[in-house]
C-alpha cells in the first residue's frame, strides 16, 4: 500500500517551517482507496514569496485546523503504507518535525519519485515535478497546491510502476525507517544546532574531528550529512557521536576558519587539502607601447598575481568584467587575437592599444585603479561584516596585503588603529590561500564596510 503525499509550508528557516496544506491519496497499486486533503493553520506567518508561489495566504488559514487536530488522521491514513512523494526527503522531514513537536515519533518507509524517475527515465531534461510531468503528457492543475501536486505525483508514480518491469529499482530505492532518515540520537544532535552561518565539527567516540565544514545553515548541512545514502556518508553517520559548532556570523569568516581548521586537524573524511586552492592568475606587465597589460595565465610561483582564480575561464571572465568597468582594451589584455584592432574598435569602445590616441598615462591610470580595487597587495584594511549576534560586528584584518586574523567587536567600539586591533584580533596564519579566499569573496559578494587602517 502506498500513500502519495504533498505538503505546502510557510517557508522560513530550516526545520522551523510550518505546514499550510497537505494532500494524501492512499493507493493500492491500482486505484485510490482513501484520501485526505486539508489546509492547515501553521500558527505562524507565511513567507511572502511562498504566498506568491502557492496563492495560500494567512487569511485563508485562520479558520483551518491546526496540525495537532489533523495529526491522528495522518497517522491512520499512512499506517502500514509507504510514503511516496516528489523529493520525499523534504515532505517526510516536515512531517517528522511536526510530529516531534507533539512528542510523537512518526516513522514510515519512503519512496522518492525523483530518484525513481532518474533511474527509469534517464533521458529526461528535468526532474522537477512540473517540467517532468509536462514532458510525459501528464495533465497538472493547481501547480504548487498540495492536491494538484499530489495528483500529478500519483500519475507519475503509476507510469513509473509500469516501467519497473523487473521490480529491482523498488528494492534499491525503498528505504527502511532509519536508512536515509535521522535516528532519534541524530535528531537530538541536529536539534541542538543553530540555523546560522559558521563551522561545524563531527566527532567520533574519542572526540576526534572526523569531518568539518562551513555552511550558511549549520543545522541544514549536518542534517544532509545524516540523510545522505552514499557509502562514505553512511560511514560518517556510524562514526559520529557528537557534533559541535562555532558561529561566525558571516560566510567569509567561516571560509577562513574552515581553511585554518582543515590544516590543523586534517579530518579523515574531508577531501585531501590542496596546497594551492587556485590554478590561474591575472598578471600585470607592459606592452611594447607602454600600456599596462593584464593577462590570464596558469599560476607562476615566481610572479606576483594581481588576483587568483580556480580556472582560466574564471580569470578571463574577470578580465571581461573589468574591461566594462574601467574601459580597458581586450587586445592589450590578451582577450582579443585580432592582428590590428579588437572587436570594440569600430564602435569606439576600445581605448589605448587599438586606437593609440589616448595617452598611455590616462589608460594606465584606469588599469591601476582596477588593480588597486581588486588586489590586496600592500593594503592594510579591516573588513567589517556581520557578527554572531545583534550589536556585534566581525573584523577581518589585512596588514600589508597579508591576512592576520579575525575578531569580534561591539558596534560602539571604534576601530581605526592597528595597535588597538592587536589586542582584539585572534591571530591566524596568512598565506596565498587565505589571500585567494578573501579576494575571491570580495569580488563576488558585498561586506558591510572596509576600513583603511592607520599604520
Amino acid at each position: 500500500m502506498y500513500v502519495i503525499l504533498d505538503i505546502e509550508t510557510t517557508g522560513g528557516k530550516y526545520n522551523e517551517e510550518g505546514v499550510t496544506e497537505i494532500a494524501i491519496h492512499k493507493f493500492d497499486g491500482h486505484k485510490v482507496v482513501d484520501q485526505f486533503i486539508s489546509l492547515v493553520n501553521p500558527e505562524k506567518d507565511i513567507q511572502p514569496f511562498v504566498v506568491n508561489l502557492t496563492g495560500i495566504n494567512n487569511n485563508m488559514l485562520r479558520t483551518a485546523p491546526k496540525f495537532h487536530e489533523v495529526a491522528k488522521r495522518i497517522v491512520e491514513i499512512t499506517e502500514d503504507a509507504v510514503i511516496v512523494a516528489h523529493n520525499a526527503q523534504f515532505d517526510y522531514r516536515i512531517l517528522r518535525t511536526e510530529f516531534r513537536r507533539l512528542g510523537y515519533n512518526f516513522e514510515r518507509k519512503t519512496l522518492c519519485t525523483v530518484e525513481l524517475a532518474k533511474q527509469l527515465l534517464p533521458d529526461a531534461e528535468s526532474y522537477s515535478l512540473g517540467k517532468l510531468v509536462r514532458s510525459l503528457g501528464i495533465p497538472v492543475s493547481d501547480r504548487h497546491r498540495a492536491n494538484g501536486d499530489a495528483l500529478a505525483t500519483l500519475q507519475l508514480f503509476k507510469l513509473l510502476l509500469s516501467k519497473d518491469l523487473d521490480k529491482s529499482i523498488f528494492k534499491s530505492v525503498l528505504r527502511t525507517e532509519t536508512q536515509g532518515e535521522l535516528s532519534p540520537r541524530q535528531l537530538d544532535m541536529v536539534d541542538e544546532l543553530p540555523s546560522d552561518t559558521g563551522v561545524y565539527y563531527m566527532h567520533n567516540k574519542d572526540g576526534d574531528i572526523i569531518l568539518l565544514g562551513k555552511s550558511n545553515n549549520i543545522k541544514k548541512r549536518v542534517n544532509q550529512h545524516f540523510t545522505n545514502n552514499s557509502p562514505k556518508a553512511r560511514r560518517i553517520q556510524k562514526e559520529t557521536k557528537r557534533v559541535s559548532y562555532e558561529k561566525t556570523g558571516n560566510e567569509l569568516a567561516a571560509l577562513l576558519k574552515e581553511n585554518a581548521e582543515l590544516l590543523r586537524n586534517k579530518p579523515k573524511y574531508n577531501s585531501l587539502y590542496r596546497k594551492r586552492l587556485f590554478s590561474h592568475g591575472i598578471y600585470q606587465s607592459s606592452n611594447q607601447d607602454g600600456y599596462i597589460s593584464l593577462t590570464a595565465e596558469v599560476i607562476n610561483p615566481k610572479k606576483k598575481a594581481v588576483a587568483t582564480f580556480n580556472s582560466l575561464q574564471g580569470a578571463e571572465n574577470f578580465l571581461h568584467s573589468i574591461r566594462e568597468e574601467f574601459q580597458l582594451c581586450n587586445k592589450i589584455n590578451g582577450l582579443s587575437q585580432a592582428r590590428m584592432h579588437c572587436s570594440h574598435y569600430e564602435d569606439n569602445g576600445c581605448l589605448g592599444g587599438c586606437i593609440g590616441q589616448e595617452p598611455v598615462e590616462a589608460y594606465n591610470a584606469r588599469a591601476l585603479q582596477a588593480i588597486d580595487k581588486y588586489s590586496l597587495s600592500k593594503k592594510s584594511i579591516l573588513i567589517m561584516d556581520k557578527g554572531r549576534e545583534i550589536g556585534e560586528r566581525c573584523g577581518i584584518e589585512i596588514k600589508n596585503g597579508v591576512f592576520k586574523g579575525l575578531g569580534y567587536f561591539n558596534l560602539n567600539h571604534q576601530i581605526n588603529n592597528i595597535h588597538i586591533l592587536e589586542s582584539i584580533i585572534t591571530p591566524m596564519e596568512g598565506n596565498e590561500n587565505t589571500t585567494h579566499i578573501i579576494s575571491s569573496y570580495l569580488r563576488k559578494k558585498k561586506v558591510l564596510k572596509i576600513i583603511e587602517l592607520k599604520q
Side-chain angles (χ1 to χ4, degrees):
M1 192 70 73
Y2 307 97
V3 283
I4 286 74
L5 176 148
D6 188 80
I7 291 173
E8 302 299 332
T9 71
T10 58
K13 288 187 176 180
Y14 187 81
N15 270 7
E16 295 181 15
E17 310 100 321
V19 174
T20 59
E21 188 176 35
I22 186 167
I24 303 173
H25 295 267
K26 197 163 190 175
F27 179 62
D28 66 2
H30 305 282
K31 62 182 183 299
V32 173
V33 296
D34 194 5
Q35 65 180 26
F36 173 67
I37 304 162
S38 179
L39 290 170
V40 180
N41 184 345
E43 301 181 83
K44 61 177 67 177
D45 287 339
I46 307 173
Q47 297 290 310
F49 82 92
V50 177
V51 174
N52 292 332
L53 182 68
T54 66
I56 300 172
N57 58 50
N58 295 315
N59 288 333
M60 292 170 61
L61 305 179
R62 295 190 191 282
T63 59
K66 298 178 176 63
F67 187 83
H68 71 87
E69 296 176 285
V70 299
K72 182 180 179 182
R73 177 71 172 120
I74 294 171
V75 170
E76 290 173 346
I77 196 171
T78 61
E79 193 168 11
D80 298 324
V82 178
I83 289 177
V84 178
H86 206 70
N87 189 11
Q89 184 175 302
F90 171 80
D91 297 85
Y92 189 41
R93 173 179 66 82
I94 295 296
L95 274 182
R96 293 197 78 191
T97 300
E98 287 283 10
F99 277 108
R100 189 172 173 81
R101 290 169 185 158
L102 301 178
Y104 180 80
N105 186 28
F106 180 82
E107 291 188 352
R108 298 290 186 267
K109 294 181 180 181
T110 62
L111 195 61
C112 181
T113 51
V114 175
E115 295 177 27
L116 275 176
K118 286 179 179 179
Q119 296 176 64
L120 289 165
L121 303 168
D123 297 325
E125 292 185 5
S126 170
Y127 294 98
S128 69
L129 181 61
K131 291 181 180 179
L132 183 59
V133 296
R134 279 196 295 272
S135 70
L136 297 170
I138 295 173
V140 57
S141 59
D142 291 331
R143 184 76 178 94
H144 298 300
R145 289 295 298 268
N147 194 45
D149 286 356
L151 288 172
T153 304
L154 173 61
Q155 295 304 314
L156 172 63
F157 184 57
K158 287 180 179 179
L159 184 147
L160 294 171
L161 276 175
S162 68
K163 285 185 173 291
D164 187 33
L165 299 178
D166 58 10
K167 308 304 178 189
S168 61
I169 292 177
F170 282 85
K171 295 174 185 177
S172 63
V173 178
L174 197 62
R175 297 182 292 222
T176 64
E177 289 85 344
T178 56
Q179 184 183 359
E181 302 300 337
L182 300 188
S183 68
R185 177 179 61 83
Q186 292 167 340
L187 275 169
D188 289 338
M189 282 192 275
V190 172
D191 277 350
E192 293 174 0
L193 300 174
S195 299
D196 295 305
T197 300
V199 181
Y200 60 88
Y201 311 87
M202 304 180 80
H203 305 264
N204 64 13
K205 60 182 177 60
D206 298 319
D208 298 327
I209 298 171
I210 60 174
L211 180 76
L212 71 83
K214 75 91 190 168
S215 178
N216 291 327
N217 187 328
I218 295 172
K219 182 191 289 282
K220 182 177 181 179
R221 186 70 188 99
V222 173
N223 188 87
Q224 289 170 342
H225 283 301
F226 281 146
T227 55
N228 193 310
N229 280 325
S230 71
K232 177 181 175 181
R234 289 174 186 167
R235 292 196 298 272
I236 293 170
Q237 293 157 17
K238 185 177 180 180
E239 290 186 42
T240 300
K241 303 303 178 187
R242 180 171 173 263
V243 181
S244 62
Y245 64 90
E246 185 170 346
K247 292 197 288 186
T248 60
N250 64 85
E251 187 179 0
L252 178 55
L255 285 165
L256 291 167
K257 283 194 66 66
E258 178 191 39
N259 176 71
E261 298 285 0
L262 283 172
L263 280 173
R264 185 178 302 125
N265 295 284
K266 296 181 173 61
K268 64 184 287 188
Y269 287 115
N270 283 95
S271 300
L272 291 176
Y273 188 79
R274 289 178 290 161
K275 291 183 179 180
R276 182 178 287 127
L277 298 178
F278 48 93
S279 59
H280 290 75
I282 301 295
Y283 292 96
Q284 176 186 350
S285 60
S286 295
N287 72 3
Q288 60 185 10
D289 298 317
Y291 291 98
I292 290 176
S293 173
L294 298 173
T295 54
E297 304 173 23
V298 174
I299 284 298
N300 184 343
K302 297 180 180 180
K303 295 167 64 178
K304 179 73 173 177
V306 172
T308 51
F309 300 83
N310 294 323
S311 67
L312 176 61
Q313 186 65 54
E316 291 181 343
N317 287 344
F318 171 73
L319 286 178
H320 281 294
S321 69
I322 64 170
R323 181 217 168 267
E324 299 292 337
E325 184 177 359
F326 293 95
Q327 292 184 296
L328 302 182
C329 175
N330 281 352
K331 185 171 174 58
I332 290 177
N333 290 342
L335 296 174
S336 172
Q337 303 302 317
R339 291 184 179 181
M340 295 294 293
H341 305 306
C342 75
S343 59
H344 295 281
Y345 175 75
E346 296 297 338
D347 59 11
N348 294 323
C350 179
L351 299 170
C354 294
I355 300 176
Q357 295 178 345
E358 183 184 29
V360 172
E361 294 79 7
Y363 179 90
N364 286 353
R366 293 198 305 279
L368 289 172
Q369 283 181 335
I371 293 169
D372 181 66
K373 178 174 180 178
Y374 291 107
S375 172
L376 294 179
S377 180
K378 300 180 182 180
K379 287 183 180 177
S380 291
I381 57 175
L382 184 69
I383 300 168
M384 297 290 285
D385 212 341
K386 295 177 183 177
R388 299 161 296 186
E389 55 192 36
I390 296 174
E392 183 179 72
R393 288 288 181 265
C394 173
I396 296 166
E397 182 190 2
I398 313 294
K399 186 176 182 180
N400 294 323
V402 179
F403 169 61
K404 305 302 290 185
L406 61 87
Y408 293 89
F409 315 91
N410 186 285
L411 274 177
N412 297 322
H413 202 117
Q414 296 299 313
I415 301 295
N416 57 11
N417 190 291
I418 282 186
H419 300 297
I420 297 175
L421 280 175
E422 289 174 350
S423 64
I424 303 172
I425 291 288
T426 300
M428 297 173 70
E429 181 184 352
N431 51 41
E432 60 180 9
N433 282 339
T434 56
T435 300
H436 170 72
I437 290 169
I438 294 167
S439 59
S440 297
Y441 187 89
L442 293 179
R443 285 197 302 267
K444 299 171 185 175
K445 300 187 179 182
K446 292 182 179 180
V447 295
L448 293 180
K449 187 187 298 185
I450 296 179
I451 300 172
E452 189 170 335
L453 295 171
K454 301 175 183 177
Q455 300 291 331

PDB file of all heavy atoms in Angstrom, residues 412-427:
ATOM      1  N   ASN A 412      29.664  49.721  19.230  1.00  0.00           N
ATOM      2  CA  ASN A 412      30.079  51.024  19.749  1.00  0.00           C
ATOM      3  C   ASN A 412      31.598  51.191  19.797  1.00  0.00           C
ATOM      4  O   ASN A 412      32.101  52.261  20.106  1.00  0.00           O
ATOM      5  CB  ASN A 412      29.509  51.227  21.160  1.00  0.00           C
ATOM      6  CG  ASN A 412      27.989  51.249  21.156  1.00  0.00           C
ATOM      7  OD1 ASN A 412      27.378  51.787  20.239  1.00  0.00           O
ATOM      8  ND2 ASN A 412      27.379  50.659  22.173  1.00  0.00           N
ATOM      9  N   HIS A 413      32.328  50.112  19.502  1.00  0.00           N
ATOM     10  CA  HIS A 413      33.796  50.158  19.570  1.00  0.00           C
ATOM     11  C   HIS A 413      34.338  50.734  18.270  1.00  0.00           C
ATOM     12  O   HIS A 413      34.138  50.173  17.207  1.00  0.00           O
ATOM     13  CB  HIS A 413      34.346  48.745  19.800  1.00  0.00           C
ATOM     14  CG  HIS A 413      35.715  48.730  20.397  1.00  0.00           C
ATOM     15  ND1 HIS A 413      35.985  48.202  21.633  1.00  0.00           N
ATOM     16  CD2 HIS A 413      36.898  49.198  19.935  1.00  0.00           C
ATOM     17  CE1 HIS A 413      37.272  48.328  21.899  1.00  0.00           C
ATOM     18  NE2 HIS A 413      37.842  48.928  20.874  1.00  0.00           N
ATOM     19  N   GLN A 414      35.018  51.844  18.356  1.00  0.00           N
ATOM     20  CA  GLN A 414      35.584  52.471  17.165  1.00  0.00           C
ATOM     21  C   GLN A 414      36.946  51.850  16.843  1.00  0.00           C
ATOM     22  O   GLN A 414      37.867  51.921  17.639  1.00  0.00           O
ATOM     23  CB  GLN A 414      35.742  53.981  17.384  1.00  0.00           C
ATOM     24  CG  GLN A 414      34.419  54.706  17.576  1.00  0.00           C
ATOM     25  CD  GLN A 414      33.511  54.567  16.372  1.00  0.00           C
ATOM     26  OE1 GLN A 414      33.937  54.742  15.241  1.00  0.00           O
ATOM     27  NE2 GLN A 414      32.249  54.257  16.612  1.00  0.00           N
ATOM     28  N   ILE A 415      37.056  51.222  15.674  1.00  0.00           N
ATOM     29  CA  ILE A 415      38.277  50.538  15.279  1.00  0.00           C
ATOM     30  C   ILE A 415      38.884  51.251  14.075  1.00  0.00           C
ATOM     31  O   ILE A 415      38.313  51.255  12.992  1.00  0.00           O
ATOM     32  CB  ILE A 415      38.004  49.071  14.912  1.00  0.00           C
ATOM     33  CG1 ILE A 415      37.385  48.344  16.104  1.00  0.00           C
ATOM     34  CG2 ILE A 415      39.284  48.381  14.473  1.00  0.00           C
ATOM     35  CD1 ILE A 415      38.286  48.226  17.305  1.00  0.00           C
ATOM     36  N   ASN A 416      40.032  51.891  14.258  1.00  0.00           N
ATOM     37  CA  ASN A 416      40.714  52.511  13.120  1.00  0.00           C
ATOM     38  C   ASN A 416      42.230  52.515  13.290  1.00  0.00           C
ATOM     39  O   ASN A 416      42.936  53.194  12.567  1.00  0.00           O
ATOM     40  CB  ASN A 416      40.212  53.942  12.893  1.00  0.00           C
ATOM     41  CG  ASN A 416      40.381  54.803  14.129  1.00  0.00           C
ATOM     42  OD1 ASN A 416      41.049  54.397  15.088  1.00  0.00           O
ATOM     43  ND2 ASN A 416      39.779  55.985  14.102  1.00  0.00           N
ATOM     44  N   ASN A 417      42.741  51.751  14.263  1.00  0.00           N
ATOM     45  CA  ASN A 417      44.162  51.758  14.552  1.00  0.00           C
ATOM     46  C   ASN A 417      44.669  50.332  14.729  1.00  0.00           C
ATOM     47  O   ASN A 417      44.087  49.549  15.476  1.00  0.00           O
ATOM     48  CB  ASN A 417      44.417  52.579  15.826  1.00  0.00           C
ATOM     49  CG  ASN A 417      45.892  52.831  16.044  1.00  0.00           C
ATOM     50  OD1 ASN A 417      46.631  51.900  16.340  1.00  0.00           O
ATOM     51  ND2 ASN A 417      46.309  54.079  15.897  1.00  0.00           N
ATOM     52  N   ILE A 418      45.750  49.985  14.063  1.00  0.00           N
ATOM     53  CA  ILE A 418      46.270  48.621  14.105  1.00  0.00           C
ATOM     54  C   ILE A 418      46.659  48.210  15.517  1.00  0.00           C
ATOM     55  O   ILE A 418      46.490  47.057  15.913  1.00  0.00           O
ATOM     56  CB  ILE A 418      47.482  48.496  13.142  1.00  0.00           C
ATOM     57  CG1 ILE A 418      46.976  48.370  11.715  1.00  0.00           C
ATOM     58  CG2 ILE A 418      48.350  47.297  13.496  1.00  0.00           C
ATOM     59  CD1 ILE A 418      48.030  48.111  10.676  1.00  0.00           C
ATOM     60  N   HIS A 419      47.174  49.146  16.324  1.00  0.00           N
ATOM     61  CA  HIS A 419      47.604  48.802  17.676  1.00  0.00           C
ATOM     62  C   HIS A 419      46.427  48.381  18.556  1.00  0.00           C
ATOM     63  O   HIS A 419      46.541  47.498  19.410  1.00  0.00           O
ATOM     64  CB  HIS A 419      48.348  49.984  18.299  1.00  0.00           C
ATOM     65  CG  HIS A 419      49.566  50.384  17.522  1.00  0.00           C
ATOM     66  ND1 HIS A 419      50.650  49.546  17.351  1.00  0.00           N
ATOM     67  CD2 HIS A 419      49.862  51.524  16.828  1.00  0.00           C
ATOM     68  CE1 HIS A 419      51.570  50.150  16.621  1.00  0.00           C
ATOM     69  NE2 HIS A 419      51.108  51.354  16.272  1.00  0.00           N
ATOM     70  N   ILE A 420      45.279  49.001  18.346  1.00  0.00           N
ATOM     71  CA  ILE A 420      44.074  48.595  19.080  1.00  0.00           C
ATOM     72  C   ILE A 420      43.645  47.208  18.626  1.00  0.00           C
ATOM     73  O   ILE A 420      43.263  46.356  19.427  1.00  0.00           O
ATOM     74  CB  ILE A 420      42.933  49.615  18.845  1.00  0.00           C
ATOM     75  CG1 ILE A 420      43.316  50.988  19.386  1.00  0.00           C
ATOM     76  CG2 ILE A 420      41.634  49.123  19.480  1.00  0.00           C
ATOM     77  CD1 ILE A 420      42.311  52.072  19.089  1.00  0.00           C
ATOM     78  N   LEU A 421      43.748  46.967  17.325  1.00  0.00           N
ATOM     79  CA  LEU A 421      43.331  45.684  16.779  1.00  0.00           C
ATOM     80  C   LEU A 421      44.112  44.513  17.361  1.00  0.00           C
ATOM     81  O   LEU A 421      43.573  43.440  17.584  1.00  0.00           O
ATOM     82  CB  LEU A 421      43.513  45.672  15.255  1.00  0.00           C
ATOM     83  CG  LEU A 421      42.452  46.357  14.415  1.00  0.00           C
ATOM     84  CD1 LEU A 421      42.880  46.333  12.963  1.00  0.00           C
ATOM     85  CD2 LEU A 421      41.124  45.673  14.579  1.00  0.00           C
ATOM     86  N   GLU A 422      45.396  44.713  17.596  1.00  0.00           N
ATOM     87  CA  GLU A 422      46.245  43.613  18.024  1.00  0.00           C
ATOM     88  C   GLU A 422      45.795  42.994  19.332  1.00  0.00           C
ATOM     89  O   GLU A 422      46.082  41.833  19.612  1.00  0.00           O
ATOM     90  CB  GLU A 422      47.701  44.088  18.125  1.00  0.00           C
ATOM     91  CG  GLU A 422      48.314  44.346  16.746  1.00  0.00           C
ATOM     92  CD  GLU A 422      49.700  44.957  16.816  1.00  0.00           C
ATOM     93  OE1 GLU A 422      50.101  45.362  17.936  1.00  0.00           O
ATOM     94  OE2 GLU A 422      50.367  45.034  15.779  1.00  0.00           O
ATOM     95  N   SER A 423      45.077  43.738  20.144  1.00  0.00           N
ATOM     96  CA  SER A 423      44.598  43.193  21.419  1.00  0.00           C
ATOM     97  C   SER A 423      43.263  42.478  21.277  1.00  0.00           C
ATOM     98  O   SER A 423      42.813  41.805  22.204  1.00  0.00           O
ATOM     99  CB  SER A 423      44.472  44.318  22.447  1.00  0.00           C
ATOM    100  OG  SER A 423      43.476  45.247  22.028  1.00  0.00           O
ATOM    101  N   ILE A 424      42.619  42.616  20.119  1.00  0.00           N
ATOM    102  CA  ILE A 424      41.280  42.045  19.922  1.00  0.00           C
ATOM    103  C   ILE A 424      41.273  40.924  18.897  1.00  0.00           C
ATOM    104  O   ILE A 424      40.574  39.919  19.056  1.00  0.00           O
ATOM    105  CB  ILE A 424      40.289  43.155  19.490  1.00  0.00           C
ATOM    106  CG1 ILE A 424      40.263  44.281  20.526  1.00  0.00           C
ATOM    107  CG2 ILE A 424      38.892  42.596  19.292  1.00  0.00           C
ATOM    108  CD1 ILE A 424      39.470  45.490  20.100  1.00  0.00           C
ATOM    109  N   ILE A 425      42.057  41.070  17.842  1.00  0.00           N
ATOM    110  CA  ILE A 425      42.084  40.084  16.756  1.00  0.00           C
ATOM    111  C   ILE A 425      42.720  38.776  17.227  1.00  0.00           C
ATOM    112  O   ILE A 425      43.751  38.783  17.900  1.00  0.00           O
ATOM    113  CB  ILE A 425      42.876  40.639  15.548  1.00  0.00           C
ATOM    114  CG1 ILE A 425      42.110  41.783  14.880  1.00  0.00           C
ATOM    115  CG2 ILE A 425      43.188  39.545  14.536  1.00  0.00           C
ATOM    116  CD1 ILE A 425      40.884  41.355  14.105  1.00  0.00           C
ATOM    117  N   THR A 426      42.103  37.665  16.870  1.00  0.00           N
ATOM    118  CA  THR A 426      42.714  36.352  17.088  1.00  0.00           C
ATOM    119  C   THR A 426      43.657  36.069  15.932  1.00  0.00           C
ATOM    120  O   THR A 426      43.214  35.974  14.785  1.00  0.00           O
ATOM    121  CB  THR A 426      41.637  35.250  17.151  1.00  0.00           C
ATOM    122  OG1 THR A 426      40.748  35.538  18.236  1.00  0.00           O
ATOM    123  CG2 THR A 426      42.268  33.884  17.356  1.00  0.00           C
ATOM    124  N   PRO A 427      44.966  35.939  16.207  1.00  0.00           N
ATOM    125  CA  PRO A 427      45.920  35.744  15.104  1.00  0.00           C
ATOM    126  C   PRO A 427      45.646  34.442  14.349  1.00  0.00           C
ATOM    127  O   PRO A 427      45.366  33.406  14.938  1.00  0.00           O
ATOM    128  CB  PRO A 427      47.275  35.687  15.815  1.00  0.00           C
ATOM    129  CG  PRO A 427      47.049  36.331  17.142  1.00  0.00           C
ATOM    130  CD  PRO A 427      45.630  35.997  17.514  1.00  0.00           C
TER     131      PRO A 427
END
